[in-house]
Amino acid sequence: MSPNSVPNRRSFLARSAAIMAVPAVATLAGGALAAPASADTLPDYAPIPPSALGPAVNAQGYFAGRVEKNLYWVTDSAYQAAFLTTRDGVVLFDAPPSIGHNLQRAIDQIAAENGVPNKVTHLVYSHHHADHIGGSSLFGTDVVRIGQVQAKQLLASENDPARPVPDVTFETKYTLNVGGERVNLAWHGTNHTPDNSYIHFPGHDTLMLVDIFLPRWVPFDSFNLNEDVPGSIAAPDTAMAYPWKHFIGGHMGRLGTRADMAVYQQYVNDIIDGVKKALGTVDPTPFFAKYGNNVWAASQQYLAAVVAYASGPVIKKYLGVLAAADVYTASTTFAILESIRLDLGFGSQVHP
Ligand SMILES: [Zn+2]
């Protein structure tokens, strides 16, 4: 996803190339694919609440600001990274490729303003996903990379030169001490990915946890594509057990507060309640009567009806509260529905 990126010549050309590639693909697939998108035919959605938007980005396409004391964050309005300036160098947390070279520009800007070193000496990985650390190789080989042990295993198997494996790994806990600063890294079980880590800044009243809770926005498609749905539902409780005032979620243009996280937890609980109610209310009989031996058609239509029943009131409640509630609540409801059926066994019946 790369919303609101300023169109430049390169991205325009890339987009044109992608669109021009469509006819060839369509021919291969049998020619029945859709025509290139047009603003006239694309659906409309509710406006984004102003509260969900962050500070404007500068001419280079980024915003860098203070979180607290010498902890800073940088965003391109879609992705976020953070950095800590110290007397011995900079500790960077994630390197999203969408921010790319603007990471060092942001660090140079802040370091110059404060008269501190601008050299990145440590790079902490929140998790192995390319959209959050695909800019890692920009920082060369003379930097200590730190990540959870499963990040190292996953990155070793993915073998992507843009994402060097961490030099330092930990299983459940690691305390990083650099230039008189302390950062606590922790792994509390699998959630969005098996390696997703909690990054706590005890001296800065801040927690960073990526791809779980995106302040003032609903999750990305299908519940943030979370690999472990129950683990991801539980993660905000673990996050709330830490002391913090500021939250860095890795996405969109603003930081979060504890109140924001409470709203998000209520949103997820409302979806869970809606799904349980829908599973007990929507009658599957007509779907199976209609489709006979086409069990997939019956399943698809029945589950779509369950999703519509469960998500409808949630969308209505959160429009204007959480950005894009009308875009992704249904797909997140489907992901949670499947987890409630398959992981929790809710509504499962044994043949008499
Ligand atoms: Zn991710």
Side-chain angles (χ1 to χ4, degrees):
M1 56 189 218
S2 63
N4 67 14
S5 49
V6 182
N8 58 34
R9 189 174 150 74
R10 210 168 44 176
S11 67
F12 175 77
L13 290 174
R15 226 174 295 144
S16 307
I19 289 168
M20 284 188 297
V22 167
V25 175
T27 307
L28 281 176
L33 291 184
S38 147
D40 299 330
T41 53
L42 289 171
D44 291 312
Y45 292 102
I48 295 304
S51 62
L53 300 173
V57 299
N58 62 17
Q60 281 113 333
Y62 73 88
F63 168 84
R66 190 191 299 272
V67 181
E68 188 158 312
K69 292 188 268 188
N70 54 334
L71 176 64
Y72 299 87
W73 67 300
V74 50
T75 181
D76 59 6
S77 296
Y79 281 87
Q80 302 175 351
F83 59 94
L84 194 57
T85 61
T86 81
R87 59 177 188 241
D88 295 339
V90 174
V91 185
L92 176 62
F93 300 86
D94 279 356
S98 70
I99 307 178
H101 289 281
N102 278 339
L103 290 165
Q104 189 64 57
R105 285 190 194 103
I107 291 166
D108 291 347
Q109 171 206 330
I110 300 283
E113 283 168 19
N114 296 286
V116 292
N118 66 345
K119 163 100 177 84
V120 174
T121 57
H122 296 76
L123 173 46
V124 173
Y125 290 169
S126 66
H127 66 301
H128 73 287
H129 276 168
D131 61 330
H132 290 276
I133 62 165
S136 174
S137 63
L138 298 178
F139 295 88
T141 51
D142 189 21
V143 57
V144 179
R145 293 176 170 83
I146 302 152
Q148 206 267 342
V149 66
Q150 292 171 91
K152 183 168 187 171
Q153 291 158 3
L154 289 160
L155 289 168
S157 69
E158 288 161 6
N159 197 26
D160 174 5
R163 290 174 288 157
V165 299
D167 310 291
V168 175
T169 59
F170 63 96
E171 282 186 25
T172 57
K173 270 191 187 139
Y174 184 77
T175 302
L176 175 63
N177 289 295
V178 179
E181 304 292 337
R182 183 162 64 95
V183 184
N184 294 325
L185 310 181
W187 180 82
H188 295 295
T190 182
N191 46 61
H192 169 64
T193 53
D195 60 332
N196 207 19
S197 300
Y198 294 70
I199 303 166
H200 188 233
F201 303 86
H204 302 80
D205 245 348
T206 299
L207 183 72
M208 180 170 179
L209 174 65
V210 169
D211 282 347
I212 291 292
F213 147 61
L214 318 179
R216 306 281 182 113
W217 287 74
V218 299
F220 178 63
D221 204 346
S222 307
F223 198 31
N224 281 334
L225 305 173
N226 290 326
E227 290 184 36
D228 181 331
V229 170
S232 303
I233 290 171
D237 281 340
T238 306
M240 283 295 221
Y242 281 89
W244 54 267
K245 249 172 47 192
H246 317 288
F247 184 86
I248 302 167
H251 275 289
M252 315 320 263
R254 43 167 298 160
L255 300 174
T257 63
R258 297 184 80 88
D260 292 335
M261 189 175 263
V263 172
Y264 167 72
Q265 288 181 292
Q266 188 58 53
Y267 169 80
V268 173
N269 284 334
D270 287 345
I271 291 176
I272 293 168
D273 289 348
V275 164
K276 288 182 174 170
K277 205 172 144 205
L279 284 171
T281 307
V282 180
D283 180 8
T285 315
F287 301 94
F288 288 88
K290 155 98 180 157
Y291 294 107
N293 63 4
N294 192 343
V295 177
W296 280 174
S299 301
Q300 187 216 39
Q301 290 299 310
Y302 164 62
L303 292 172
V306 171
V307 164
Y309 187 101
S311 63
V314 180
I315 294 169
K316 214 169 148 196
K317 178 174 171 184
Y318 289 92
L319 266 186
V321 178
L322 293 179
D326 52 344
V327 179
Y328 279 144
T329 298
S331 73
T332 283
T333 300
F334 180 77
I336 290 177
L337 157 67
E338 288 307 307
S339 172
I340 286 174
R341 287 189 335 111
L342 306 177
D343 296 324
L344 307 186
F346 186 90
S348 126
Q349 286 160 7
V350 177
H351 193 285

